[in-house]
Amino acid sequence: LGVNTANAQSRTSYFMEGSYFRSEFNPALVPTRGYVMIPGLSGVNLDLGTNFLSFDNFIYKNGDQYVTALHKSVAADDLMAKLPSNLTTNVRANVNLLGVGFYTKKIFWSAGLNLRSDSSISISPEIVRAIKTLGTGRFDLGTTSLNSNEYLEAYAGTALPIFDWLTVGVRGKILFGLANVNAQFDELYLDINESAVTAQLQGSWKANSVVFDNRPLTKSSDVAFNDLLCVNDMEYMKQNLKNFGAAIDFGVEMRFLNNHLKVSAAVADLGIIKWAST
């Protein structure tokens, strides 16, 4: 049983020969032994990437001490000058729900089920000025966008040694779309005063999810957000599962100089999900 409760920098497992995570980046890279994944415990991978979170942007020297960007000695204009025109954050998560890997002679086989999420948000750096100054007034956050996809991934793969120096791996995937959210705000203003914080926005958004109730509403009055969900209606959620896709991973590993030199390459997550219009 292979257990790994958290892997904050999952790419490092690419170079760890005993790790079963490496096959998720390259199906030709196989672990040293078989494994069984425990639901909820065997793998939680999180990758966070931004274009603004760095030591130089948020840590400043004040005399003999180092202070954060929120310290009163750091001017707001000095902080804003270091930030890009749009603050972008990308988050990718992968939770291993089920999985098994085993050898038959020299051939490695794997199969499993993963829950995956890919999200990105872009917002004006003026949000940092609002937090930094904690002042009153109107802050123009400009163009803001949000994109998020959540889906289940059922996979099966194999890795086959063609020669003593060459291993080829392939993994096929069937994708089940759970949620797709896209929002684009052309205008977004944040108004802060002593009594309240309000926002004014203009834009568009669309969402597609198995938990949204698309059946005609029977209530004539305002409907609460909870009434738009169908999480307690499993049969309808099954009928609402209509976003499907497929993907493939392909990789190779070449070994030279008595395995002292290894060269590997892969194409991962080559595929598509078709999201229904409603």
Side-chain angles (χ1 to χ4, degrees):
L1 300 180
V3 178
N4 190 347
T5 57
N7 190 1
Q9 295 179 339
S10 56
R11 288 186 179 87
T12 58
S13 63
Y14 191 94
F15 304 99
M16 300 171 60
E17 294 191 359
S19 171
Y20 58 81
F21 280 118
R22 64 202 312 249
S23 64
E24 296 185 359
F25 302 102
N26 185 339
L29 301 180
V30 296
T32 54
R33 59 182 63 87
Y35 61 83
V36 174
M37 293 184 180
I38 300 175
L41 293 177
S42 292
V44 178
N45 304 319
L46 179 65
D47 291 326
L48 173 65
T50 76
N51 65 345
F52 64 94
L53 287 179
S54 68
F55 186 88
D56 292 337
N57 285 351
F58 291 96
I59 302 296
Y60 293 78
K61 191 172 184 179
N62 181 27
D64 296 332
Q65 298 179 333
Y66 285 93
V67 297
T68 68
L70 299 179
H71 194 268
K72 62 182 180 180
S73 64
V74 180
D77 289 340
D78 293 339
L79 171 60
M80 298 298 295
K82 290 188 174 183
L83 299 179
S85 58
N86 280 292
L87 308 182
T88 302
T89 301
N90 300 299
V91 180
R92 301 188 65 186
N94 184 12
V95 179
N96 300 124
L97 301 178
L98 298 170
V100 61
F102 58 92
Y103 282 92
T104 58
K105 295 184 178 180
K106 293 184 178 182
I107 303 176
F108 181 77
W109 303 89
S110 62
L113 181 67
N114 296 332
L115 175 62
R116 300 188 57 172
S117 175
D118 296 308
S119 302
S120 64
I121 184 172
S122 178
I123 193 170
S124 168
E126 283 296 311
I127 188 66
V128 176
R129 184 189 296 275
I131 297 174
K132 166 66 178 174
T133 61
L134 293 178
T136 60
R138 165 167 284 202
F139 297 89
D140 183 2
L141 303 187
T143 301
T144 299
S145 62
L146 168 67
N147 297 281
S148 183
N149 294 293
E150 286 72 36
Y151 57 94
L152 284 174
E153 173 188 88
Y155 67 87
T158 184
L160 176 66
I162 306 299
F163 304 107
D164 290 340
W165 56 272
L166 174 63
T167 298
V168 176
V170 64
R171 174 179 287 187
K173 305 175 181 179
I174 299 177
L175 311 178
F176 305 92
L178 300 180
N180 169 250
V181 178
N182 291 279
Q184 179 73 38
F185 300 111
D186 301 321
E187 295 182 1
L188 179 57
Y189 296 96
L190 191 65
D191 293 299
I192 303 177
N193 56 51
E194 296 179 354
S195 59
V197 177
T198 58
Q200 176 183 335
L201 56 88
Q202 178 179 340
S204 61
W205 70 281
K206 61 180 180 179
N208 185 318
S209 174
V210 296
V211 300
F212 288 168
D213 194 340
N214 296 318
R215 293 169 289 191
L217 298 175
T218 58
K219 300 179 180 180
S220 59
S221 60
D222 293 338
V223 178
F225 180 76
N226 289 340
D227 295 329
L228 300 177
L229 302 179
C230 57
V231 293
N232 295 324
D233 191 342
M234 294 301 298
E235 290 300 323
Y236 181 72
M237 288 179 61
K238 293 178 183 178
Q239 298 175 13
N240 212 17
L241 183 60
K242 49 191 174 184
N243 309 302
F244 301 101
I248 190 172
D249 299 346
F250 178 80
V252 297
E253 182 188 45
M254 295 173 287
R255 299 170 292 276
F256 306 101
L257 302 178
N258 196 25
N259 288 342
H260 290 293
L261 174 63
K262 297 181 180 180
V263 179
S264 60
V267 176
D269 294 328
L270 180 62
I272 190 172
I273 296 180
K274 184 180 185 303
W275 297 93
S277 58
T278 57

